[in-house]
Amino acid sequence: MEIGSGNYGCSHYRRRCKIRAPCCNEISDCRHCHNEAKNSLETNPLDRHDIPRHEVTKVICSLCDTEQDVQQNCINCGVCMGKYYCAKCKFFDDDVSKNQYHCDECGICRTGGKENFYHCNKCGCCYSMLMKDAHRCVERAMHHNCPVCFEFLFDTMRDITVLPCGHTMHLECARQMEQHYRYSCPVCSKSICDMSQFWKKIDQEIAAIPMPQTYQNKMVWILCNDCGANSHVQFHIVANKCLSCNSYNTRQTRGGPATPCSSGMTEMVS
């Protein structure tokens, strides 16, 4: 069980075996190593592909180089090729501190401990038990690319956050958005945090900037990205306030040239 443990593997996994890709018959340390190599800019676009992870049938022991059918222990030297082993995913990992478990509904192995997660059938993914009966479901919410970096979310190795609107993205990408003063979901434009203090700042800014006489009676229709209400409001160059929920996360729909409220909002909160 312990011979060679932690001494073999790649940057993605510590394991004592390599895999033979059924798609191109090449040997790689893991599926991520294979996919990174086969989808690099140096690779001919016609040859780029991902490994079909569940179709792997052959592994190579890292200690004795024996190629064999997928199994946990080497048929030649007897070494354990991965302390965590999933026969369904053909997956090996010596770092069991991740508390890996296999989710039949997801069809893949996940980390964090089965007791700490549940599978949401509508969203089509495992979520923390802390979110059970509390999050807003969006059908197949994890089965798309991150709206910021465009990496596929369902099987990503990076942390995921679920926004109040139910859409998902990388936690790191969400933090980068906040650093650039972007506080709305890239998918549906709803606010991703409590913006009430920012709305008060915009109230003060609008009060300090009276509109010219020509525009003082100009009325426009706006759509609120947060509550979905339509409002007929007095136009202001800085932003237009929803009459239903007091949000400034709005867009002009009728009444003259539309104004990019989000850009004005960025200046206010920065």
Side-chain angles (χ1 to χ4, degrees), residues 1-2 5-6 14-16 72 80-85 92-96:
M1 179 66 75
E2 297 297 333
S5 177
R14 307 310 296 169
R15 61 208 298 185
R16 286 163 280 178
Q72 187 170 18
C80 174
M81 292 184 283
K83 293 180 181 178
Y84 175 82
Y85 167 67
F92 301 79
D93 197 349
D94 271 333
D95 183 5
V96 293

Side-chain angles (χ1 to χ4, degrees), residues 146-149 161 163 169-187 189-192 266:
C146 173
V148 174
C149 70
T161 184
L163 304 178
M169 61 190 302
H170 288 121
L171 178 60
E172 178 185 353
C173 292
R175 288 172 175 167
Q176 289 182 3
M177 280 180 50
E178 292 180 355
Q179 290 173 3
H180 290 85
Y181 309 111
R182 300 297 177 185
Y183 301 102
S184 59
C185 172
V187 179
S189 297
K190 292 184 182 294
S191 297
I192 63 175
T266 299

Side-chain angles (χ1 to χ4, degrees), residues 91-266:
F91 176 61
F92 301 79
D93 197 349
D94 271 333
D95 183 5
V96 293
S97 65
K98 302 174 185 175
N99 294 322
Q100 300 95 326
Y101 69 95
H102 181 85
C103 174
D104 286 326
E105 289 83 359
C106 285
I108 61 175
C109 290
R110 298 202 173 278
T111 61
K114 190 174 181 67
E115 68 281 1
N116 298 318
F117 291 84
Y118 77 100
H119 185 87
C120 176
N121 290 322
K122 183 173 182 179
C123 295
C125 189
C126 288
Y127 285 156
S128 168
M129 291 295 291
L130 298 174
M131 296 178 59
K132 194 170 186 179
D133 303 323
H135 80 284
R136 179 174 296 180
C137 286
V138 173
E139 190 168 358
R140 296 179 65 80
M142 291 281 288
H143 295 259
H144 65 86
N145 296 337
C146 173
V148 174
C149 70
F150 302 108
E151 179 187 348
F152 190 58
L153 291 174
F154 183 69
D155 56 0
T156 182
M157 296 182 67
R158 298 158 61 190
D159 290 338
I160 298 294
T161 184
V162 182
L163 304 178
C165 56
H167 292 117
T168 55
M169 61 190 302
H170 288 121
L171 178 60
E172 178 185 353
C173 292
R175 288 172 175 167
Q176 289 182 3
M177 280 180 50
E178 292 180 355
Q179 290 173 3
H180 290 85
Y181 309 111
R182 300 297 177 185
Y183 301 102
S184 59
C185 172
V187 179
C188 67
S189 297
K190 292 184 182 294
S191 297
I192 63 175
C193 57
D194 181 9
M195 299 289 289
S196 57
Q197 294 303 313
F198 295 138
W199 302 155
K200 291 179 180 179
K201 289 184 179 180
I202 296 180
D203 281 338
Q204 296 169 3
E205 191 72 17
I206 288 177
I209 305 176
M211 292 295 290
Q213 184 68 33
T214 308
Y215 292 98
Q216 284 187 359
N217 296 319
K218 178 176 175 60
M219 301 295 290
V220 294
W221 283 95
I222 60 171
L223 172 66
C224 180
N225 293 324
D226 287 337
C227 72
N230 287 283
S231 302
H232 196 215
V233 301
Q234 186 171 349
F235 170 78
H236 199 283
I237 192 64
V238 173
N240 296 306
K241 187 175 186 176
C242 173
L243 299 181
S244 179
C245 68
N246 296 323
S247 169
Y248 280 104
N249 183 14
T250 63
R251 64 184 71 183
Q252 187 176 321
T253 58
R254 284 181 288 165
T259 56
C261 298
S262 59
S263 62
M265 184 190 312
T266 299

Side-chain angles (χ1 to χ4, degrees), residues 34-66:
H34 170 278
N35 294 345
E36 289 173 2
K38 293 301 180 180
N39 291 289
S40 67
L41 295 177
E42 291 75 22
T43 304
N44 187 325
L46 297 178
D47 296 328
R48 295 175 187 174
H49 65 278
D50 289 340
I51 191 172
R53 64 162 79 182
H54 294 98
E55 297 178 17
V56 173
T57 59
K58 297 294 183 179
V59 296
I60 299 91
C61 176
S62 297
L63 276 75
C64 69
D65 292 326
T66 300

